Amino acid sequence: MTSTRRLKNILRGAAAAAFWIIVWALCARAVGKELILPGPLRVARTLVSLAGTEAFWRSILTTFLRILTGYLAGVMLASVLAVLTCSVKTADLLLSPVIRLVRATPVASFIILLLLWVGRKNVPVFISMLMVIPVVWENLVQAAAAVDPKLLEMGRAYAFGPAGLFRHIYLPSVLPALEAGCLTAMGLAWKSGIAAEVLSQPKLAIGTSIYNSKVYLETPELFAWTLTVIVLSILIEHLIRKLIAFIQKKEVRV
Amino acid sequence: MKITDLSFSYGDRNIFRRYSAEFPEPVCCITSPSGTGKSTLLKLIAGLLTPDSGTIEGVPSRPVMMFQEDRLLPWYDVRKNLLLVCPDRERTDAMLESVEIDGDLRIAELSGGMARRVALARALLAGGNCLLLDEPFTGMDADLMRRMAKLILSENVPVIAATHSGEEAEALGAEMIRLV
């Protein structure tokens, strides 16, 4: 992308954001009650004052680490399960219904159960992991089933071996699906992880802070925390895209 | 190489029923109308398919197959496609020069004839002691075809090629066998 085109895109994005912030400000003025809908300036002021506290950054860091741990564990476990599903028929028979069951179960049920089983501190980690597994697993299994059989036959004819088939044919074929799965799963991991924090209330967590804002009717604070979550989510999505692009680029190098 | 009473079918579709033939060495071309089993026969000789019955005798230990489709890996450039079968960079670059292709090109940038030459280069680099070539000259003009035929013959290994025209067989100096 040329720099002029990139600048145009940024300006277009900024103009759209400015439009919705103005709409938000007008709505807040029309409502006239900060408790129901605080304006963007009030939220920005709250965010700046929150950012001046150590608890704000420690909450972000602990939430980030919890969700990231669950997310990475989920992606890795889903990848292993997908390999098993594709290579062992019995594994497919046993795993498919369980993973579909996990996807169909309401997240609130899991949160309550995990509160009993793993303790409040670990609930967000497990919830993030559980939400990630079905998405990444399904994307990978579908992509692996769609790998070109002619390329696989070529790989076998040229003695690539199982490792070579995996590295040079399966992996590049499923990478776009893995990217899509990882991005969707990241959004889910954030939302469900923070929902888990709201219900389990571990010490120093974004979810706990959101819950406290609700208890003390601090709506601007609630908005400020939500804004923080959105910004973090966008940053992490960007990082995952970069990471996958890096892997793809590295694969092409001799 | 000798085939005796070979039978093979894809499900209910019979391709060969008690087919027998002898292939003259070192170079021979198989011709027949499309869809009559040339590619299947080459895959059976290569050991990529197993006959329902019958025998194929005298196949060298490491036959290399060049498929009817190019089957190049689109996520790698030309050179890496070749390095996967022959890690020797010098040999690979020399082969790229012989097939007159720039190794840095991406697969999507190749024309039909260029992709065919890369697939041919891969087969020649794979180190087999017998070449099974399925329509190796598709997309090449007569001049280029003759140069590529010369390159194939310079390998000094037995060749069985599935071709469409007598011109291709002539370029390879091969005896023609009609499948049907």
Side-chain angles (χ1 to χ4, degrees):
Chain A
M1 198 188 288
T2 62
S3 55
T4 329
R5 215 168 134 194
R6 186 173 289 173
L7 188 70
K8 259 186 192 170
N9 279 347
I10 292 171
L11 285 175
R12 220 174 274 162
F19 171 78
W20 287 112
I21 288 170
I22 291 166
V23 170
W24 174 13
L26 291 174
C27 289
R29 184 172 285 184
V31 171
K33 281 182 185 162
E34 206 173 71
L35 184 69
I36 307 289
L37 183 64
L41 272 176
R42 174 75 175 93
V43 171
R45 272 201 303 272
T46 309
L47 188 58
V48 170
S49 91
L50 276 176
T53 64
E54 191 192 331
F56 175 80
W57 295 106
R58 285 181 65 188
S59 297
I60 287 178
L61 186 68
T62 44
T63 293
F64 175 75
L65 288 178
R66 274 190 205 113
I67 292 174
L68 189 70
T69 308
Y71 174 77
L72 290 178
V75 170
M76 279 191 273
L77 199 57
S79 305
V80 173
L81 293 179
V83 171
L84 271 176
T85 308
C86 295
S87 47
V88 187
K89 260 196 179 159
T90 324
D92 180 25
L93 202 73
L94 293 174
L95 286 172
S96 298
V98 175
I99 291 177
R100 293 203 168 97
L101 189 80
V102 170
R103 194 176 36 199
T105 307
V107 66
S109 306
F110 276 127
I111 295 174
I112 307 293
L113 275 175
L114 285 169
L115 266 171
L116 297 171
W117 292 344
V118 298
R120 62 176 58 209
K121 198 174 72 182
N122 298 317
V123 173
V125 179
F126 280 89
I127 285 297
S128 303
M129 188 179 81
L130 275 174
M131 294 301 108
V132 165
I133 290 173
V135 178
V136 176
W137 173 84
E138 183 152 32
N139 273 37
L140 282 177
V141 169
Q142 279 178 359
V147 171
D148 187 351
K150 288 183 173 176
L151 288 184
L152 291 173
E153 187 183 43
M154 180 278 296
R156 278 191 281 271
Y158 284 95
F160 280 19
L165 285 179
F166 176 76
R167 186 174 163 208
H168 301 300
I169 299 178
Y170 276 109
L171 191 60
S173 299
V174 304
L175 262 182
L178 180 66
E179 181 184 10
C182 285
L183 291 174
T184 313
M186 189 27 117
L188 273 176
W190 265 108
K191 283 179 211 160
S192 57
I194 288 170
E197 284 183 344
V198 169
L199 288 179
S200 63
Q201 292 175 50
K203 272 184 191 168
L204 285 173
I206 294 179
T208 309
S209 304
I210 287 176
Y211 180 81
N212 289 338
S213 315
K214 175 233 160 198
V215 168
Y216 300 113
L217 299 174
E218 280 287 351
T219 316
E221 209 168 285
L222 174 68
F223 271 69
W225 277 112
T226 307
L227 206 63
T228 310
V229 173
I230 293 168
V231 170
L232 281 172
S233 180
I234 291 169
L235 278 177
I236 291 165
E237 188 184 311
H238 186 68
L239 267 176
I240 293 170
R241 274 186 205 281
K242 288 266 175 207
L243 185 71
I244 290 175
F246 173 74
I247 294 171
Q248 278 171 332
K249 211 173 166 187
K250 206 177 167 200
E251 274 298 305
V252 175
R253 267 189 225 144
V254 180
Chain B
M1 200 179 300
K2 193 178 166 192
I3 291 175
T4 313
D5 288 336
L6 180 80
S7 295
F8 181 80
S9 55
Y10 288 112
D12 293 338
R13 198 175 146 233
N14 252 323
I15 308 295
F16 296 109
R17 182 177 289 172
R18 299 181 68 84
Y19 174 74
S20 295
E22 211 160 317
F23 295 93
E25 287 197 14
V27 187
C28 90
C29 283
I30 309 168
T31 60
S32 71
S34 291
T36 48
K38 292 190 295 293
S39 302
T40 304
L41 184 62
L42 289 182
K43 284 185 191 175
L44 283 161
I45 295 170
L48 296 172
L49 295 173
T50 311
D52 298 334
S53 63
T55 55
I56 303 171
E57 291 165 293
V59 182
S61 54
R62 298 189 315 276
V64 169
M65 174 94 191
M66 176 189 179
F67 294 92
Q68 189 178 15
E69 311 84 10
D70 305 311
R71 303 196 189 186
L72 301 169
L73 301 179
W75 35 83
Y76 294 147
D77 61 17
V78 167
R79 184 174 286 103
K80 176 131 190 191
N81 266 277
L82 301 187
L83 285 168
L84 288 179
V85 298
C86 172
D88 183 340
R89 177 109 188 195
E90 263 181 47
R91 257 192 81 203
T92 303
D93 282 348
M95 182 59 77
L96 279 168
E97 213 169 289
S98 301
V99 295
E100 304 162 34
I101 302 279
D102 176 358
D104 295 329
L105 288 174
R106 301 201 54 87
I107 300 306
E109 293 173 313
L110 303 176
S111 69
M114 287 165 92
R116 210 68 202 122
R117 277 180 279 158
V118 177
L120 175 64
R122 182 176 60 189
L124 298 179
L125 283 169
N129 53 6
C130 168
L131 289 168
L132 304 167
L133 310 176
D134 198 348
E135 301 186 15
F137 304 120
T138 307
M140 298 183 205
D141 60 38
D143 205 31
L144 192 57
M145 180 181 75
R146 272 191 288 276
R147 289 206 296 279
M148 291 305 114
K150 211 171 151 189
L151 181 67
I152 292 167
L153 295 173
S154 71
E155 291 291 310
N156 282 321
V157 292
V159 177
I160 299 178
T163 57
H164 270 307
S165 72
E167 205 185 336
E168 292 175 352
E170 199 181 308
L172 283 168
E175 206 169 302
M176 300 250 289
I177 287 192
R178 279 200 71 80
L179 196 61
V180 184

